[in-house]
Amino acid sequence: MKSSNNDRLNTNISNKSTILVIDDNPTNLSLAANALEYRGFNVLIASDSLSGIKRAKFAHPDLILLDILMPEIDGFETCRRLKEDEKTQNIPVIFMTALNQSEYQVKGFQVGAVDYVTKPIQIEEVLARVNLHLQLYFLTQKLEQQVEERTTKLNRALQELQESQLQLVQSEKMSSLGLLLAGITHEIKNPLGFIAGNLEHTEVAVKELIEYLKLYQEIFPVSGTIIQEKAEEIELEYLLSDLPKMLISMKQGIEKIQEISRSMQTLSRADRNEKVNFNLHEGIDSTLMILKHRLKANEYRSGINVIKNYGSIPLILGFPGQLNQVFMNLIANAIDVFDEVISNQTRTDDLIVEISTEISLDYQQVMIKIKDNGHGMSEEIKKQIFDNLFTTKEVGKGTGLGLSISRQIVEEKHQGKIFCESKLGQGTIFTIILPIFQDDNSELND
């Protein structure tokens, strides 16, 4: 004869289920325990409420059969205490009682019981109710587990989506920035070269003209009235002494523009699919050059002094454009800190951004620190600064993506670490640690 589905389910439940019976009557205790053990359940017993509560906390049974009428602490109070404890609150409780008035049954449900059986107990009734509530209990646990797993998967999918969005934003931003800077660099490169080349010839020509005029003055010290008047009109002597200085200034200006152009070219360097050897100092210096105008004094603060403590570090195998973006984010944030105006008070104290680099003792990592002596941040804010879309800036002045993207670039793209140290009133330090993966021919960079 084949067994029914219910019989198989009941057998499975009994094979893995533990039942705690709490009753001060030895006869009832023995009767219930023997019947349950005969059906394959693991049975624990307790003859009073306090020991029953202790056993429930320690063994965590799957179901509790609880007598109501017991000395000192009755079943109602026992159930209430079980439901108040996180360790036992989810265990289903079935009351065993000779009190069949509805008010006692209602009270039992109010304190947290799931069912009740009347005394004298009928074994088949007890087994039927035990099996029913164990099924519900295990189904509930399974459902909660499925919900938790689904929630975990959804959270993971959400995190992956956010990371993908960050990558898209970063790629689009870097692509747009790279195209913009590359276009500007290309457009000014040719005119700069033309001006620089002609300026050299102009310098030589002016020098020769001045020598010619001086020679003319020596040979013909007495010139005509018209020539003398023109010389005084154009302030010839001043012009002869000042013209070379003007050419020198123009040459310096051209060199500065060329330096900016080179920095823009460095920052706009398009990343390939593969990493390349990269000079970190070159990237930092290019970033500082682009941000130089923001370091100057303004109406709210004095100028920002940049201190560079560069160590001898090797080339880093990485994506230069992305690492330059990290430097840009961190240094620009440090400047933003100084630009924040509190109660319209002008800052005249020394404003410092210190940038240091060094190699680890085992020559396996490079450390970059960007430190400012700004107002720092609270622990609460510090915990959130790398979160996606978190910003402390005013609306329209910050996207909340800079530091999140920076962490992604450092940790995911370069297998490094980035972290922040900060205290209110004591400034902030951002530390980047990058592993040294490089070609054998790489040289140290000062």
Side-chain angles (χ1 to χ4, degrees), residues 9-54:
L9 182 58
N10 290 342
T11 300
N12 291 336
I13 289 175
S14 63
N15 286 338
K16 62 182 178 181
S17 303
T18 299
I19 298 176
L20 171 62
V21 183
I22 306 174
D23 197 324
D24 65 325
N25 187 310
T27 301
N28 291 336
L29 198 62
S30 176
L31 178 64
N34 290 336
L36 292 168
E37 286 178 345
Y38 179 75
R39 294 299 180 97
F41 291 101
N42 299 318
V43 181
L44 305 173
I45 59 174
S47 57
D48 62 82
S49 295
L50 290 177
S51 60
I53 292 172
K54 289 180 181 179

Side-chain angles (χ1 to χ4, degrees), residues 407-422:
R407 181 174 64 177
Q408 193 175 73
I409 291 172
V410 171
E411 298 187 356
E412 295 182 18
K413 298 293 186 179
H414 294 85
Q415 295 77 52
K417 293 288 183 184
I418 181 171
F419 53 90
C420 171
E421 303 169 75
S422 184

Side-chain angles (χ1 to χ4, degrees), residues 296-343:
K296 297 178 181 179
N298 58 37
E299 58 181 318
Y300 299 114
R301 60 163 174 78
S302 56
I304 300 172
N305 184 27
V306 176
I307 300 174
K308 295 190 290 188
N309 295 317
Y310 288 170
S312 294
I313 61 174
L315 299 177
I316 294 297
L317 197 63
F319 300 104
Q322 295 183 22
L323 287 174
N324 287 337
Q325 184 181 358
V326 174
F327 301 145
M328 179 70 74
N329 286 337
L330 295 181
I331 297 173
N333 279 347
I335 297 172
D336 289 341
V337 168
F338 295 128
D339 282 340
E340 291 177 3
V341 182
I342 303 175
S343 301

Side-chain angles (χ1 to χ4, degrees), residues 195 197-207 247:
I195 295 172
N198 281 279
L199 191 60
E200 291 182 6
H201 294 298
T202 302
E203 189 175 12
V204 172
V206 168
K207 183 178 180 182
L247 289 172

Side-chain angles (χ1 to χ4, degrees), residues 181 184-185 188-189 192-193 196 250-268 281-292 308 310:
L181 293 180
I184 295 173
T185 303
I188 67 175
K189 187 174 182 180
L192 275 177
M250 291 168 64
K251 190 174 181 180
Q252 290 174 344
I254 291 296
E255 290 173 352
K256 182 63 69 176
I257 296 174
Q258 288 177 325
E259 186 179 354
I260 294 172
S261 178
R262 286 192 295 270
S263 296
M264 291 169 64
Q265 190 172 15
T266 299
L267 290 178
S268 66
H281 294 160
E282 183 180 281
I284 296 171
D285 288 341
S286 297
T287 302
L288 290 171
M289 173 59 65
I290 297 300
L291 293 173
K292 190 171 184 179
K308 295 190 290 188
Y310 288 170

